[in-house]
Amino acid sequence: DALPATELARTRNYLKAALKISTSTPRGRAKVLANSEFYRLSELYSTDYAGLYDRIDAAQVRTVCQKYLGEQTARWLYLQPLEAAEG
């Protein structure tokens, strides 16, 4: 049941890359700036937020998963083959 360190590292890298890609277009940057303004976040929010992923450990992931996935309600999970993720 333990979350392998390699899987956690891969997930962190994916999330940081997705955040970076989301700000790579004018529309994406505008969305991040609008959210930062609306929620009164710093102008460096997207950079600072990416750094938070590095501080999440396996125990925290387990806690969140148990809270949200452990409920007796329907959940949608989107999966893709490992080969597609590495492509």
Side-chain angles (χ1 to χ4, degrees), residues 14-86:
Y14 168 80
L15 292 170
K16 289 188 288 186
L19 185 60
K20 187 174 184 177
I21 289 170
S22 72
T23 61
S24 65
T25 64
R27 181 179 178 180
R29 286 191 296 279
K31 184 177 178 182
V32 169
L33 289 172
N35 283 335
S36 296
E37 182 68 24
F38 183 80
Y39 292 108
R40 298 176 187 223
L41 304 171
S42 76
E43 291 181 15
L44 299 175
Y45 166 74
S46 61
T47 305
D48 295 343
Y49 194 76
L52 293 176
Y53 290 129
D54 291 326
R55 294 195 295 236
I56 296 171
D57 63 23
Q60 292 168 318
V61 171
R62 177 180 290 273
T63 299
V64 171
C65 287
Q66 286 174 340
K67 178 179 179 179
Y68 292 101
L69 300 177
E71 297 174 1
Q72 297 298 317
T73 58
R75 299 279 184 228
W76 288 93
L77 297 176
Y78 297 93
L79 307 173
Q80 66 183 31
L82 183 58
E83 300 82 41
E86 292 176 346

